[in-house]
Amino acid sequence: MTAVTAEPTLSDVRHSVWKAKLSVVVGGVFGLLAAIIFLSVAVPHYRVTMLVGPAEHAPKADIKALLPDNPSFALQYLVSTMGSQDSSDFMRFENTLRGPAVAAELLKDAKIKDGMAHNGPFVFSPAAEIDSPQELSDLLQKEISIDPIGNTPLRRIGIDVSSREFGLYVLNKAYAQTDGLIRAEVLNQARNRAAYLQDMLGKVNNPDHRRALTALLMEQEHIQMIMGANEAYSAIIAEAPSVSVKPWWPRKSLILAGFVFAGMVLGFALGAARARR
């Protein structure tokens, strides 16, 4: 028959730790020294965050004018599409903030290129190679976080950087470039559509068709008017970028406690193995 090994009790564990107390203390000291060395070579990083939300556009042209003979269908269409453009523009903002198109514009700024290349966690961290928009985009994907705020449409954008000023600069610049690219493309589309609708108005004689084309033309002109106001189009800043008061990384208390505890556990394991031999 095989002997049944009893489960060690708390008293047994306490006795084992006491027997290996010298190894535990030595391990804790080595853990403390390792934590001090780690903190001495770590570059403090601060958390810079900002809140953004969907930009609200003024109401567009009345969709009922497009379908005067079927108002119920027009009303259903209006309800189903209400706010869809705003949300789609904001979704586009979220997904292009760290994309290659925005990175290509940010890469033209030497301050951003140099700051992102030298944002390593340790003093001996090599500078990142950033020679193309895709390389900068890949780095932005790792460094910039976009987190939802509960069940609201708000998003918290954050980045950990060694320089407070650079963190504020890069978030403001990324926001402005992203919204600017979306604005420019939407404005160009509105101008092209307006030119096409103007041309079609000169060729159509049917009153209902002319009414529908006029409503569509007014919508495109409305979009151009919004762009002319020079306001945020895809996303608004709900809370301006701010910097954490204390370094976000490394957390000294956690690093010290973690290294000391790990050293004590390692010392106990080595002391117990030596006692068994």
Side-chain angles (χ1 to χ4, degrees):
M1 295 179 63
T2 58
V4 178
T5 304
E7 291 267 343
T9 63
L10 183 60
S11 178
D12 294 332
V13 174
R14 190 186 305 114
H15 181 67
S16 299
V17 172
W18 179 254
K19 285 178 61 178
K21 58 183 180 297
L22 181 60
S23 298
V24 171
V25 172
V26 172
V29 172
F30 274 102
L32 178 62
L33 293 175
I36 294 174
I37 294 173
F38 180 90
L39 292 174
S40 66
V41 298
V43 178
H45 278 56
Y46 298 88
R47 172 65 57 88
V48 183
T49 59
M50 68 185 298
L51 285 182
V52 297
E56 295 183 359
H57 304 156
K60 297 180 174 61
D62 188 4
I63 304 298
K64 292 181 181 179
L66 303 180
L67 299 169
D69 297 330
N70 193 352
S72 61
F73 180 82
L75 183 60
Q76 181 181 0
Y77 178 84
L78 177 63
V79 172
S80 64
T81 58
M82 186 178 298
S84 61
Q85 184 65 36
D86 295 353
S87 61
S88 64
D89 288 332
F90 185 63
M91 289 174 58
R92 184 177 174 187
F93 176 89
E94 286 186 80
N95 290 280
T96 59
L97 178 71
R98 301 171 294 183
V102 175
E105 297 298 322
L106 296 178
L107 196 60
K108 299 175 184 178
D109 192 325
K111 182 177 181 179
I112 290 182
K113 180 179 179 180
D114 184 68
M116 293 301 298
H118 296 86
N119 195 40
F122 300 101
V123 294
F124 51 79
S125 297
E129 301 249 348
I130 307 176
D131 297 320
S132 67
Q134 187 58 55
E135 288 178 334
L136 179 56
S137 176
D138 292 343
L139 189 58
L140 293 176
Q141 292 284 349
K142 293 190 296 183
E143 299 291 340
I144 296 181
S145 61
I146 303 178
D147 303 312
I149 305 299
N151 294 323
T152 69
L154 296 176
R155 296 292 183 269
R156 188 185 303 279
I157 302 175
I159 184 172
D160 295 343
V161 289
S162 56
S163 169
R164 294 182 175 96
E165 293 75 16
F166 174 71
L168 295 171
Y169 181 80
V170 71
L171 281 193
N172 280 315
K173 193 79 171 181
Y175 165 80
Q177 289 293 343
T178 306
D179 190 69
L181 286 175
I182 297 174
R183 283 170 54 88
E185 184 169 340
V186 172
L187 179 59
N188 185 57
Q189 290 176 348
R191 286 173 176 169
N192 292 337
R193 290 169 182 168
Y196 171 77
L197 292 170
Q198 285 279 15
D199 182 63
M200 289 296 297
L201 273 174
K203 301 177 182 179
V204 174
N205 296 321
N206 186 287
D208 289 339
H209 291 174
R210 291 183 63 85
R211 190 185 304 114
L213 289 173
T214 302
L216 291 172
L217 179 59
M218 290 176 60
E219 182 177 356
Q220 300 310 311
E221 291 177 346
H222 183 205
I223 292 175
Q224 295 182 62
M225 288 174 60
I226 293 176
M227 300 302 180
N230 197 27
E231 296 179 351
Y233 179 78
S234 59
I236 59 172
I237 297 179
E239 184 180 279
S242 59
V243 188
S244 60
V245 177
K246 297 180 179 180
W248 192 262
W249 185 92
R251 299 291 182 90
K252 292 184 179 180
S253 57
L254 294 179
I255 294 296
L256 289 170
F259 272 74
V260 170
F261 179 75
M264 294 172 68
V265 171
L266 181 60
F268 171 73
L270 294 176
R274 188 166 55 250
R276 282 196 297 268
R277 286 200 302 269

